[in-house]
Amino acid sequence: MKAESSVILLKLGGGLLTDKNNPLSIREDVVKSAVKQIIDANEKIILIHGGGSFGHPLAKKYSISNGFNKAIPNQILGLAETHHSMIKFNSYLIEQLLENNYPVLSIQPSSIFIRESKKILFDSVDVLETALNLKIMPVLYGDILLDKGGSFSILSGDEIILKLCESLKTYNISKVVFAMESDGLFIAADLDGSNCNLLTECYSNELNDLNLADLGQKIDVTGGIKSKLTHIKKICKYKIPVQLINGLTEGYIYKSLKNQKINCTNILIND
Ligand code: IP8
């Protein structure tokens, strides 16, 4: 079927919504502000959020991303706990949206994505598109990922975005927005990386030549800035522009959703 309407994929980073230094702690003011901006923008959105202090510390403790390992005590229980912790975080966000009378549908990624060898399988795109048709915002999140080979790993929000870019049928993705705790990608201006400048605009064919500064802020089992760049390159292959914005700057989520000018990183597509 031909794509008729467009949708924005918005990822709210886990580091933005939670306090990564304190396990299981939500930055309530940040979540409330993000929710208000999403509601005010009133656009068609699929919302994806990261794990932050609900996902990463547990995933790390039980070495979930490295798969099944008999030597790790209680690893399977830890897998279940990691998933449940994400549900608790997700429920908080969902409640904020519903309290503001905004129709949302929480979709459990570990129930609709599965790994088979190196591939991640996903065939529930109709659920998301039907929700969008009904003016319901689907909400997904980084989760555990079961593997048909008898193991498991972590499914990051960024990987979910990639699968959606590959799979949406009746919706065009007009852009992917990553709301983070920094203004975007930074270019190292000198060799030791002590000086860096915000990259405000760049074409997708220039992504391989960037001398990115790694501001290395986190314990992130799904990989920091390098893995973000890898995902961005893959998204651009689908001819979808990407915007990296600071979700802590007042009004930026709203402005991004409304295509208003902001100080951020814009990755544009070459014709
Ligand atoms: O924060 C990771 O998702 P991400 C999810 O999008 C877990 O990388 C469970 C650690």
Side-chain angles (χ1 to χ4, degrees):
M1 201 188 296
K2 206 176 154 306
E4 282 162 10
S5 326
S6 49
V7 63
I8 298 170
L9 303 193
L10 171 63
K11 163 123 190 243
L12 297 176
L16 171 72
L17 302 183
T18 69
D19 177 356
K20 276 207 168 181
N21 300 318
N22 278 321
L24 314 182
S25 59
I26 296 176
R27 289 160 112 182
E28 294 186 13
D29 49 339
V30 178
V31 174
K32 287 192 166 113
S33 160
V35 162
K36 182 172 185 320
Q37 293 178 66
I38 289 167
I39 294 174
D40 287 349
N42 192 26
E43 295 289 335
K44 259 197 201 305
I45 298 166
I46 299 178
L47 182 63
I48 301 102
H49 68 82
S53 70
F54 282 76
H56 290 277
L58 276 169
K60 195 171 177 187
K61 177 174 174 196
Y62 293 102
S63 189
I64 305 296
S65 45
N66 297 323
F68 182 49
N69 181 349
K70 288 202 290 293
I72 297 172
N74 301 319
Q75 194 194 25
I76 296 292
L77 191 60
L79 178 72
E81 278 173 9
T82 306
H83 168 69
H84 190 58
S85 180
M86 285 308 299
I87 292 198
K88 286 190 200 154
F89 178 24
N90 175 255
S91 299
Y92 178 82
L93 185 62
I94 296 291
E95 274 158 23
Q96 295 301 314
L97 286 151
L98 287 176
E99 273 173 20
N100 287 285
N101 304 320
Y102 199 72
V104 286
L105 181 68
S106 170
I107 296 176
Q108 230 177 64
S110 53
S111 302
I112 55 169
F113 291 86
I114 191 157
R115 188 182 290 280
E116 184 171 60
S117 319
K118 292 218 150 56
K119 280 194 82 167
I120 298 173
L121 309 181
F122 165 66
D123 63 7
S124 298
V125 69
D126 292 347
V127 174
L128 273 77
E129 293 191 335
T130 306
L132 287 171
N133 292 343
L134 288 166
K135 297 192 168 33
I136 298 172
M137 178 172 74
V139 183
L140 297 92
Y141 47 92
D143 197 353
I144 61 159
L145 178 67
L146 299 181
D147 184 325
K148 284 191 176 186
S151 186
F152 45 78
S153 59
I154 290 291
L155 178 67
S156 71
D158 291 9
E159 279 166 323
I160 294 175
I161 287 177
L162 259 182
K163 288 307 283 186
L164 298 184
C165 291
E166 178 190 311
S167 318
L168 286 194
K169 294 181 295 196
T170 59
Y171 280 85
N172 258 324
I173 300 170
S174 58
K175 68 173 169 178
V176 174
V177 181
F178 291 100
M180 324 176 298
E181 285 176 288
S182 64
D183 292 341
L185 296 176
F186 285 84
I187 300 295
D190 51 25
L191 281 178
D192 66 1
S194 53
N195 273 312
C196 52
N197 303 317
L198 178 68
L199 172 73
T200 51
E201 198 171 281
C202 146
Y203 279 91
S204 51
N205 67 348
E206 298 165 342
L207 286 171
N208 282 330
D209 307 320
L210 299 177
N211 182 21
L212 282 187
D214 192 344
L215 302 180
Q217 318 131 338
K218 42 194 172 184
I219 14 151
D220 188 338
V221 295
T222 48
I225 203 71
K226 283 213 178 82
S227 120
K228 174 77 75 211
L229 192 64
T230 308
H231 283 121
I232 291 173
K233 285 182 199 164
K234 290 185 184 161
I235 295 169
C236 289
K237 291 217 164 95
Y238 295 102
K239 304 270 174 221
I240 300 167
V242 176
Q243 195 172 39
L244 293 101
I245 68 165
N246 194 331
L248 293 174
T249 309
E250 182 81 31
Y252 264 25
I253 295 175
Y254 173 86
K255 285 186 177 165
S256 161
L257 295 171
K258 290 301 203 189
N259 287 326
Q260 294 176 8
K261 202 171 156 29
I262 51 179
N263 191 36
C264 66
T265 299
N266 282 302
I267 298 157
L268 312 169
I269 302 299
N270 302 90
D271 293 326

